[in-house]
Structure formats: C-alpha cells, structure tokens
Amino acid sequence: AMASPSTAGVRAPSAHGRRQGIYAGMDLTSVVSTLESHWVVLEAELAEIQKDYAAMRAFTRKYGEYWNRSLTTLKKMRMEKENQLKEIKFQMELFNLHIQQGRDLCYKLSQVASTIKTQPHQLAPQLSVEVVSPILANAQNPLAVPQRPSG
C-alpha cells in the first residue's frame, strides 16, 4: 500500500520489535549523538585494554604464566568492544549515506516544486550524553589515551 500524505508522520515499526526501551522515541539527532558518545568511549576503552594487555604480556614474560586467565578475559572483552565499535561505524555509515540521499532528493524537489518554500532548520542545540565506563573510571591516566586504531 502506498503511503498517503496523512501517514507521513507515522513511524514504521522497528525490525527488532520493542527491544529499544527508553530509545524507542528518540529522534535521529539524539541517536547519532548517543552513538558518537559510545564510539568515543569504546575507542578509549580499547586503548586502555590494549595497554593493560601489553602490561600483562610483559608480566607473563617476567614472572610466568599466572596471567593467562586475565589475558583471555581481556582478549574476549577487546573483541566484544571492537565488534560494538564496528556496529556503530556501520550504522553511522548508513546514516551518512541516507542523509546524502535525502539532501539530493530535497535539492531535486526544490528544482521542480518551486511553490514550496522550505527553510533548513537551525542546528539543534548540543545534546549532552553521559556514558559511564568502569574501565576508564579506573584508568591510571584516562586523559592521556592514544588516538590510534586498535588492532
């Protein structure tokens, strides 16, 4: 069925059902800001995990195999966080692709629908998103996190 103009504001149901909790009604700008916040925190956590992993490897060479279980745990944690970061990056790429297509469509429509005057909305006020990370909260020097890709 074709969507009529009267249903333009109706949101399509999520493919994941109702697993969105408090995020169910979140607008696009808030979703992007929240994902960007998680991106920054995950990159910082990954840098901290890499640093700790290297330290434990050094301890293993120095003192023996006492840290194997911890090394395995850190490796698993690193993989989980890298996968979360990949998901965020993929979603952001999709947002970027779709916003470009949306802009192209707006431009195309502005060329043919000259009777409609649209003003681009002012930039939304900065949204503050708080993300709590026990990894970073307990880092010895959380502000001196190297900004390099983890691998």
Side-chain angles (χ1 to χ4, degrees), residues 41-83:
V41 170
L42 282 167
E43 283 188 335
E45 285 179 339
L46 281 165
E48 191 68 20
I49 290 169
Q50 289 291 98
K51 191 171 71 177
D52 292 344
Y53 189 83
M56 282 190 191
R57 292 282 305 250
F59 291 157
T60 300
R61 285 191 298 276
K62 240 173 163 174
Y63 305 112
E65 305 294 315
Y66 304 106
W67 286 272
N68 281 347
R69 192 168 167 194
S70 298
L71 282 166
T72 302
T73 301
L74 277 181
K75 201 170 189 177
K76 182 181 172 200
M77 190 182 297
R78 185 185 75 204
M79 286 174 53
E80 288 170 359
K81 291 188 181 296
E82 284 173 347
N83 287 334

Side-chain angles (χ1 to χ4, degrees), residues 21-41:
I22 62 169
Y23 303 103
M26 190 179 268
D27 63 69
L28 180 62
T29 305
S30 300
V31 170
V32 170
S33 295
T34 301
L35 291 177
E36 285 174 341
S37 296
H38 282 288
W39 183 334
V40 169
V41 170

